[in-house]
Amino acid sequence: MASAIAVATVPPSGAKHSVLLLRRANDRLAAALRARYLVVNFYASGASLPAFLAASAAAEPEPPRAALVVGDGTIRVNAAFLDAAPYLRCVVTTAAGLDHIDVAECARRGVLVAGAGQTFSTDVADHAVGLLIDVLRRVSAADRYVRRGMWPVQGDYPLGSKLSGKRVGIIGLGSIGSSIAKRLKAFGCVIQYHSRRPKDTVSFRYFPDVLSLAAESDVLIVACALNNQTQHIVNKDVLEALGKDGVVVNIARGGNIDEAALISALKGGEIAGAGLDVFEKEPDVPAEFFSMDNVVLTAHEAVFTTESGSDLCDLMIGNLEAFFDGKPLVSPVLPN
């Protein structure tokens, strides 16, 4: 099983270590990588992924021992991927979620994994609160109402609902979930949560299952990882338990919610609204959402701010440098 420390390696004299780049990089990250490493870029190769991984084995002066991987699920680091790239000893992902990486398989093969750590936690938490306020107070819908010239014609826009005092159920009280809880507690909300196990460090009420959490909540915020246990963790039964005045916010992964059940619940007035940053088949978003004024949509952007982009670049470079220097990774991911 892999630890979080690699054995330092030295490339041939005067050469740079090779790194597989399996994500599109902004200018800052691309420049930082090129300054330190020989970058073997999948998106610039024009090859299929299997052909690219096979060809990379012959890279000079050495096969790439580390890879920087996109976190949107388009590339999955699983047994088949590792079979095709047996030269890899470290995978660095730019995502907070890990549903695209088989961490246990990596550990079994001695491949280190580093993630985004807590880089995105504050930005995602801010976005979640923004989505919730928008849905409750109908900010985006009221904006469209004013822009269409409806105010002088039809009068004041219908009232929204206040945030203060709402019972907010958070699914997943990790770094992001805890940051959301901290913000909403300041708004005067009652925080409760479901997680794999109770947290000794918080006083919030714990629910052992999502169904009972939903029944006692006005708002459900999904902030958990996506895995076999959390696929469609918010389903038809959970939405029914949440009730007609309930609101759902999802800043985790699209697969955490049964999208068909959510659309049905919204159409039928079984819940009051939803704020969604993620979807099951991105970038395709169900057209049914587009005509719903009680739904706020964003394009999987909760993690992205100017500041988080800069912090992420520093973290990715820090992990790669630590790996090649034989030091502990900065943000290691270990199997459960």
Side-chain angles (χ1 to χ4, degrees):
M1 179 169 293
S3 69
I5 304 175
V7 177
T9 60
V10 180
S13 178
K16 297 178 180 179
H17 285 295
S18 298
V19 171
L20 285 188
L21 182 59
L22 297 166
R23 63 154 290 155
R24 300 186 190 280
N26 59 30
D27 291 343
R28 187 174 189 273
L29 179 57
L33 288 168
R34 287 196 303 267
R36 295 165 174 82
Y37 308 110
L38 176 62
V39 179
V40 186
N41 189 340
F42 168 58
Y43 290 99
S45 71
S48 67
L49 182 60
F52 172 77
L53 295 175
S56 297
E60 295 291 344
E62 61 175 4
R65 299 181 63 249
L68 191 60
V69 181
V70 67
D72 63 4
T74 55
I75 294 177
R76 297 191 172 276
V77 180
N78 50 24
F81 177 97
L82 295 170
D83 284 343
Y87 43 83
L88 287 179
R89 303 265 52 89
C90 179
V91 173
V92 180
T93 177
T94 55
L98 294 166
D99 48 296
H100 60 299
I101 295 181
D102 188 335
V103 178
E105 184 63 19
C106 286
R108 189 182 72 80
R109 297 181 186 227
V111 177
L112 305 181
V113 178
Q118 298 183 16
T119 302
F120 299 131
S121 296
T122 57
D123 296 299
V124 176
D126 289 348
H127 198 85
V129 173
L131 285 173
L132 178 56
I133 292 173
D134 197 330
V135 174
L136 290 174
R137 298 301 302 270
R138 304 180 179 181
V139 177
S140 292
D143 175 83
R144 292 190 292 270
Y145 185 80
V146 172
R147 290 176 187 273
R148 290 196 298 260
M150 303 304 294
W151 191 9
V153 177
Q154 295 189 7
D156 292 341
Y157 192 74
L159 297 176
S161 180
K162 70 188 294 183
L163 174 59
S164 176
K166 288 288 190 291
R167 300 170 301 164
V168 178
I170 300 176
I171 303 173
L173 204 68
S175 176
I176 292 173
S178 296
S179 294
I180 294 170
K182 179 180 179 181
R183 284 155 174 74
L184 290 178
K185 184 178 179 182
F187 275 97
C189 296
V190 177
I191 308 299
Q192 41 206 21
Y193 72 102
H194 166 73
S195 205
R196 284 179 296 179
R197 60 186 69 87
K199 307 283 186 179
D200 296 335
T201 55
V202 300
S203 59
F204 307 135
R205 184 181 177 188
Y206 171 76
F207 287 79
D209 61 86
V210 173
L211 193 64
S212 58
L213 175 67
E216 295 292 328
S217 297
D218 303 306
V219 175
L220 273 186
I221 298 181
V222 186
C224 59
L226 178 61
N227 52 45
N228 291 337
Q229 289 71 45
T230 61
Q231 177 79 21
H232 289 182
I233 194 169
V234 176
N235 56 23
K236 181 178 183 293
D237 293 338
V238 170
L239 294 169
E240 287 179 354
L242 182 61
K244 64 182 181 63
D245 295 321
V247 168
V248 174
V249 172
N250 189 7
I251 44 73
R253 286 289 188 267
N256 291 125
I257 294 181
D258 182 338
E259 222 164 57
L262 176 61
I263 290 169
S264 177
L266 288 162
K267 282 183 172 180
E270 296 165 26
I271 65 170
L276 307 172
D277 183 55
V278 289
F279 307 90
E280 288 204 75
K281 296 180 180 179
E282 297 175 4
D284 296 324
V285 177
E288 291 93 335
F289 288 137
F290 298 158
S291 61
M292 297 179 178
D293 268 349
N294 57 341
V295 177
V296 178
L297 308 171
T298 55
H300 201 152
E301 62 191 47
V303 302
F304 298 119
T305 62
T306 302
E307 296 83 358
S308 70
S310 177
D311 292 344
L312 181 64
C313 177
D314 292 341
L315 182 63
M316 298 301 100
I317 295 298
N319 275 305
L320 289 170
E321 289 180 337
F323 167 71
F324 286 118
D325 290 343
K327 297 177 180 178
L329 297 179
V330 180
S331 53
V333 174
L334 302 174
N336 294 326

